[in-house]
Amino acid sequence: MAKPTILTVDDDREVLQAIARDLRKQYGDRFRIIRVDSGASAIETLKELKVRNETVALLLTDQRMPDMNGVEFIEQAAPMFPKAKRVLLTAYADTDAAIKAINTARLDYYLLKPWDPPEEKLYPVLDDLLDDWLAVYHPAFEGIRVIGDRWSPCSHNVKDFLARNQIPYHWMDVENEPEATKLLDYVANGSKLSLPLVLFPNGDRLEQPTNLEVGEKIGLQTQAEKPFYDLVIVGGGPAGLAAAVYGASEGLSTVMIERSAPGGQAGSSSRIENYLGFPVGLSGDDLARRGVTQAKRFGVEILTPQEVVGVEIKDPYRVVKLKDGSEINCHALLLSTGVYWRRLNLPGCDRLTGRGIYYGAAKTEALSCQGEHIYLVGGANSAGQAAMYFSKYAAKVSMLVRGESLVRSMSQYLIDQIDSTNNIEVLAHTEVAEIHGENSLTGLTLFHNDTGEKEQVETKSLFIFIGAKPETEWLEGVVARDERGFIYAGADLKKSEDVKGNRDLLSYGQLNRDPFLLETSVPGIFVAGDVRHNSVKRVASGVGEGSIAIMFVHRYLAEVGA
């Protein structure tokens, strides 16, 4: 933790050196002593400290300085650090100015030069002032700060990326927090800034950054250390993490590639209560954190944010092509990319995504929803978990369910919790018919499919949990997929011949065997988790498939002599 700062200002270099020496002697073990030789330079120093989110405990300035005297400096510095103690060093002839400054600049004390000996004329006064300051001092947040507005999609992306990668940050809304606007002024210093602005503890900043830029800045690994691995895993959800742990623990050199954050869709769940071994439940964040820690312990490399855009077969190798143009070679490849929420196909929906319309739990928006009436679309477990989470913040949560109830799609324990939560309502036979709002969501038109009636409601937030869509277009022409893009494996490959284009992708004749249980149409390429055709969409199932896949990876490697 950075030490609080004592800033001393004097245009006389010898005096400045002497006061800094005495301050370091008495307070250097607890405070950072900064000396500056002019008021203007001191103001610039304070701006830099503000941008770095450092704390100033004491301003100690000479009165007689050219261009900007001590009182003028304190008047300009006080709004930046209003809780800092203010002391004026002055000659006897300037005591009237110092006394006036007690009222005009809220001066805490003035000291006469010279202050020899400091044990009698300097330290007792400063000790009292610093003790008072320390009594009410609360250390500033030392992590990343994100300055933006609630209705910015880029702001939402940055917050979501940091949260899902479990990087602490402080959100500052320019619309509601005057401190955010002041800080922007200090950073901009007259220039124009593009929001969101991400400020790092070392003073660096990024304007409207991509996830990759933020990831590189915070030290996430985005490049593989080696050109070749026994096993490459694409996707860092429960299936991918389980495979990484089992593969690396059994001696396979393993790299896992995740395009957003480890944990996948499960990682955004606010509470998972039916996972074996956790009787009180655990959050998706917690599950992801444990999985990542365990995988790294066994030496797994985790590349994030990094995206795979293609695969090339060069027997006996599989070449994984990354979005940045680099390539990774491997013997075996596991596809565990999971699924993504299906988009709501309504006019204006894309425009307002990130501006009041969100896909998935979007827990980063919960605090912004305090006291509001929000709507959720979906009736499966993810929607139920989100409803329970948002009910702690929103005044009311309305769940829109196209069917007649939640019974068919949601676990009973969640249904019971929702029924017993006063500020959650379930609107059956209800769909979103229209989206309203220009720069942000302002309302919805609901369609009641049992009566044919429409209803218009006001809201600022809509969270969508509908469908499960695999994004496997980058695998076209490589492995056999069904009509929706899910990947065939094992015995299901027999059905894949009925889908156009798949027959040419089946290449097991050369091995004179049937495909392994989780093996795709290409020997050595495996699939696990939600992206597999006919998979069970549960966290435990994904973990199980990821661990089972490693057994077949070993069999394949033995088969090809790798």
Side-chain angles (χ1 to χ4, degrees):
M1 183 178 295
K3 296 178 182 178
T5 295
I6 294 176
L7 182 74
T8 182
V9 191
D10 200 308
D11 64 312
D12 187 319
R13 297 292 180 89
E14 291 186 6
V15 174
L16 183 62
Q17 185 174 354
I19 188 68
R21 178 201 61 215
D22 290 343
L23 290 173
R24 286 195 182 94
K25 179 182 176 182
Q26 181 74 358
Y27 306 109
D29 59 332
R30 294 170 291 156
F31 296 88
R32 177 186 177 196
I33 312 301
I34 297 179
R35 59 182 186 181
V36 188
D37 60 7
S38 73
S41 296
I43 292 296
E44 293 304 312
T45 299
L46 290 176
K47 287 181 180 179
E48 182 64 25
L49 291 173
K50 192 72 175 178
V51 171
R52 296 165 76 97
N53 211 26
E54 296 190 28
T55 303
V56 175
L58 175 70
L59 300 170
L60 180 60
T61 178
D62 181 43
Q63 168 61 8
R64 287 194 177 185
M65 296 186 294
D67 301 325
M68 182 186 298
N69 63 39
V71 173
E72 291 170 339
F73 162 71
I74 286 176
E75 287 174 339
Q76 289 191 37
M80 284 188 263
F81 293 95
K83 295 182 180 179
K85 296 299 181 180
R86 306 154 197 176
V87 178
L88 201 65
L89 275 175
T90 184
Y92 181 79
D94 296 321
T95 53
D96 287 343
I99 292 171
K100 289 180 181 178
I102 293 175
N103 294 322
T104 60
R106 294 178 58 194
L107 195 68
D108 291 295
Y109 214 93
Y110 69 90
L111 294 168
L112 296 177
K113 295 180 180 180
W115 58 89
D116 256 357
E119 289 78 9
E120 294 180 14
K121 298 183 178 180
L122 180 67
Y123 298 152
V125 172
L126 299 190
D127 284 347
D128 283 345
L129 291 175
L130 290 172
D131 284 345
D132 287 346
W133 183 85
L134 287 168
V136 295
Y137 165 59
H138 298 286
F141 176 74
E142 291 195 327
I144 295 169
R145 288 167 293 165
V146 181
I147 307 174
D149 70 269
R150 178 182 176 183
W151 310 121
S152 161
C154 188
S155 292
H156 169 69
N157 288 340
V158 169
K159 291 190 295 177
D160 192 58
F161 176 75
L162 290 170
R164 294 190 61 195
N165 280 281
Q166 302 183 42
I167 306 297
Y169 71 93
H170 176 53
W171 165 244
M172 304 180 74
D173 192 332
V174 293
E175 291 186 341
N176 300 312
E177 298 181 46
E179 184 66 22
T181 304
K182 291 180 184 177
L183 186 55
L184 276 179
D185 290 339
Y186 298 142
V187 176
N189 204 18
S191 62
K192 185 176 177 64
L193 295 173
S194 298
L195 298 182
L197 179 70
V198 183
L199 298 175
F200 297 89
N202 65 353
D204 290 346
R205 71 191 192 201
L206 291 174
E207 299 177 41
Q208 284 189 345
T210 63
N211 286 350
L212 182 60
E213 289 173 330
V214 175
E216 290 175 340
K217 203 70 179 175
I218 60 180
L220 297 180
Q221 184 179 351
T222 61
Q223 299 294 322
E225 293 180 356
K226 298 177 288 187
F228 181 85
Y229 295 82
D230 294 325
L231 174 64
V232 171
I233 300 168
V234 184
L241 282 168
V245 169
Y246 277 85
S249 67
E250 294 174 13
L252 299 179
S253 59
T254 304
V255 62
M256 187 180 80
I257 305 168
E258 167 56 47
R259 75 176 191 176
S260 55
Q265 202 176 94
S268 64
S269 295
S270 55
R271 204 74 186 162
I272 303 170
E273 297 189 57
N274 57 355
Y275 190 68
L276 184 65
F278 294 88
V280 298
L282 77 167
S283 68
D285 289 338
D286 204 18
L287 180 65
R289 177 184 57 79
R290 291 167 184 260
V292 167
T293 301
Q294 199 169 10
K296 288 186 174 180
R297 175 190 163 208
F298 289 117
V300 177
E301 287 184 44
I302 299 178
L303 310 187
T304 183
Q306 186 59 271
E307 187 172 353
V308 177
V309 295
V311 176
E312 187 177 355
I313 311 301
K314 291 184 178 179
D315 285 327
Y317 308 116
R318 281 79 186 97
V319 182
V320 177
K321 299 178 181 295
L322 304 182
K323 191 173 183 178
D324 63 4
S326 60
E327 296 181 349
I328 302 175
N329 295 278
C330 62
H331 278 307
L333 172 64
L334 176 67
L335 306 172
S336 56
T337 51
V339 294
Y340 301 87
W341 300 115
R342 184 161 53 82
R343 300 305 229 189
L344 201 61
N345 188 22
L346 290 173
C349 194
D350 288 344
R351 184 184 75 253
L352 297 180
T353 297
R355 302 175 185 269
I357 296 178
Y358 308 97
Y359 290 88
K363 293 186 294 183
T364 52
E365 304 303 324
L367 288 174
S368 300
C369 295
Q370 284 187 323
E372 297 180 2
H373 184 176
I374 70 169
Y375 288 78
L376 275 70
V377 180
N381 278 8
S382 296
Q385 291 161 353
M388 291 300 302
Y389 182 78
F390 281 106
S391 69
K392 302 172 185 176
Y393 301 92
K396 188 173 183 179
V397 179
S398 293
M399 298 186 67
L400 310 181
V401 183
R402 187 158 58 176
E404 62 182 0
S405 71
L406 297 172
V407 174
R408 281 184 143 185
S409 56
M410 188 178 292
S411 298
Q412 189 60 45
Y413 80 90
L414 266 176
I415 295 175
D416 294 340
Q417 289 180 1
I418 289 169
D419 287 343
S420 62
T421 305
N422 294 331
N423 64 334
I424 299 179
E425 68 171 354
V426 178
L427 301 177
H429 297 290
T430 306
E431 306 172 40
V432 178
E434 295 179 47
I435 302 291
H436 305 293
E438 289 299 322
N439 298 318
S440 65
L441 181 69
T442 58
L444 309 169
T445 296
L446 306 182
F447 173 67
H448 300 284
N449 58 39
D450 55 343
T451 64
E453 296 179 352
K454 288 187 175 182
E455 173 190 3
Q456 191 161 324
V457 298
E458 293 183 359
T459 188
K460 294 180 179 179
S461 299
L462 174 68
F463 298 89
I464 300 168
F465 303 82
I466 54 173
K469 179 182 179 298
E471 295 188 1
T472 56
E473 293 81 3
W474 58 280
L475 288 166
E476 184 174 357
V478 179
V479 298
R481 301 174 297 146
D482 65 18
E483 296 89 341
R484 296 185 296 162
F486 290 93
I487 300 170
Y488 285 110
D492 286 333
L493 282 167
K494 294 179 181 178
K495 298 185 295 184
S496 72
E497 297 183 14
D498 298 330
V499 180
K500 183 179 178 181
N502 280 342
R503 186 180 297 272
D504 296 334
L505 301 178
L506 301 176
S507 53
Y508 280 85
Q510 57 188 342
L511 295 178
N512 195 28
R513 67 164 171 82
D514 291 331
F516 295 134
L517 179 64
L518 297 174
E519 198 170 26
T520 70
S521 58
V522 178
I525 298 183
F526 300 84
V527 61
D530 291 357
V531 74
R532 183 178 63 82
H533 172 79
N534 271 349
S535 65
V536 178
K537 306 296 189 289
R538 289 290 186 269
V539 173
S541 175
V543 171
E545 289 190 13
S547 58
I548 291 170
I550 299 305
M551 178 179 69
F552 298 113
V553 169
H554 280 297
R555 288 186 187 178
Y556 171 77
L557 293 178
E559 186 177 63
V560 297

